[in-house]
Amino acid sequence: MTGASFLRILKGAASAAVVALSLTACSLPGSGPGEREAWLEANDPFEPLNRAIFGINEAADFLVIGPAAYAYNAIVPDPVRESVRSFTANLLSPITIVNQLLQGDFDGAIHATGRFLTNTVLGAGGIADVATAAGIPDQKEDFGQTLAVWGFNEGPYVVLPFLGPSSMRDATGYAVDTLADPVRMWAANTDHEGAYMAKGIAGGIDRRSRVLKEVEDLRRNSVDYYATLRSLYRQQRKADIEEKAAVAQPDFPAFEKTPEAPAKKK
Amino acid sequence: MFDRTLTGRRALLKSVAGFAAAATLPLIARTALAQDPGASAFIQKLGDRAIKTFSDKGTKAAAKEKFRALLVEGFDIPYIGRWVLGRYWNVANDAQRQEYMALFERMIVDAYAGRFAEYSGETFKITGARPEGDADSTVTTQIVRPSGPPINVDWRVRKAGATYKIIDVAVEGVSMGVTQRSEFASVIQTNGGQFDGLLKVLRAKVAG
């Protein structure tokens, strides 16, 4: 995908979003019984706009991103894909380190710094993930997670053009991480914006290529794919933030009587 | 973000809860050790049978039928079906509930049969179990794949009399029940709170 066509799609998405926004800005709770609770639970006041952007993202995925990811998977040999993955992941390490520090997780910061140095020096600039092989697994931290540690709620759900599911908090975090990204600063200061953008696109295609089957499965088995992704995103973020230590379990009450199986009527 | 004071209070509650958890942790660890191993044994047996079913490359229809039997036996589908409806269970009348249950079971069987048809040599190992309330246990497992890192899957198992049934599955912290519940709520919401909207969508799903 060339930069120009990418920008054109981006522009198209932006103008479609503006149209959608001016048509229907917010969803409002219905007046039926329990509808207000359902509306609050969904925590998605921008749902009409979100669904519009989601539709555009899906179209882009169908036309460009998905096919590119399939082709990437089919054409590029495994070891090369591994290297792309390691290289782009390694470039994110400084963001993780800073966020570990901001979260007061000094052990995590030391761990991430060790990874970064190991992979940069011994892994030939990050193309080989020798740290994981040596038993130091990657654990990404972003500013959205830092905000969560600082006590910010996730806020309403938002769907970002091309980036997909997010929340007010996580989108803010993403913006801060991007601005503070040393790789981006280096690219901006040395006229390497093209390389930075290429890195972003390669990373995106790579990420998409890792979930080909999962996406197909979800699309096939969902009755409301948008709502499914919304729920998956939230739960995943919650699990990442709480690092599986104390994920609140949903309540599974005992129902007074288990409903009859439909086959045998009472 | 909009309710700072609430957030503060929740953080406080959380830390208090953290202290409480730390104090009771040895107790929980002991309970886990003393726990009835039935739930883990149940998951182990069910998993072994499932793997055996998928490895048998018989006809597709026969495999699906076997898998259906396994699913109905291992999962409390009526419970899950009702749980994922949440408050909407009370909105539905008897006829709607019955149709919903039939559709839900078909949908679940179709979805999982399709997933497991792609089985390619994964194995699983039980990594632990913890009690969950009075009647439940969560059995934690790892699905080991031929390539890629293992996946953590937690099975929430409820004991009723002498039998165990799965009532929820969480993959890497993502609960299938919670996901399904928000999806169904969304469908009903987009249909103006009408339960029939969900039935219509489910009918189309199992027919398609």
Side-chain angles (χ1 to χ4, degrees), chain A residues 29-30 33-39 41 47 51 147-148 150-156 168-170 172 213-214 216-232 235-236 239-242 244 247 249-266, chain B residues 1-4 6-8 10-11 14 76 78-79 82-83 87-89 91 94 97-99 101-103 105 107 110-112 114-115 118 120 130 132 136 138 145 152 154 156 158 167-168 172-187 189-190 192-193 198 201-202 205:
Chain A
E35 280 193 65
R36 196 172 161 75
E37 284 88 334
W39 185 82
E41 223 167 69
E47 186 167 339
R51 278 193 190 262
L147 288 173
W150 289 354
F152 285 90
N153 286 337
E154 61 180 349
M168 285 298 220
R169 180 193 66 206
D170 295 338
T172 308
K213 275 201 174 140
E214 287 83 349
E216 262 179 50
D217 180 298
L218 287 174
R219 280 187 184 148
R220 189 172 55 237
N221 290 312
S222 301
V223 286
D224 187 341
Y225 184 43
Y226 170 88
T228 299
L229 283 190
R230 184 172 65 195
S231 178
L232 289 178
Q235 292 185 67
Q236 232 157 38
D240 284 347
I241 287 161
E242 301 182 9
K244 291 172 201 152
V247 177
Q249 293 284 330
D251 191 26
F252 289 95
F255 297 130
E256 274 174 22
K257 71 180 179 239
T258 312
E260 292 291 316
K264 31 182 170 151
K265 282 185 185 161
K266 276 182 280 183
Chain B
M1 203 179 292
F2 297 121
D3 45 350
R4 288 287 174 78
L6 252 183
T7 312
R10 198 170 306 149
K14 227 182 189 169
D76 193 343
Y79 181 89
R82 175 165 173 181
W83 191 86
R87 69 173 67 81
Y88 296 108
W89 177 260
V91 176
D94 275 352
R97 285 176 186 179
Q98 291 210 344
E99 190 187 356
M101 281 297 178
L103 290 169
E105 183 177 317
M107 191 185 86
D110 284 353
Y112 281 87
R115 274 168 202 164
E118 292 179 15
S120 55
R130 57 170 188 269
E132 211 82 71
D136 296 359
T138 293
R145 297 181 289 172
N152 294 305
D154 297 351
R156 180 148 180 149
R158 177 160 292 178
I167 57 168
D168 192 29
E172 294 289 349
V174 176
S175 149
M176 297 295 110
V178 170
T179 308
Q180 193 85 76
R181 187 168 64 178
S182 25
E183 188 183 20
F184 284 179
S186 173
V187 171
Q189 279 304 296
T190 32
L198 177 64
V201 171
L202 290 180
K205 190 83 199 165

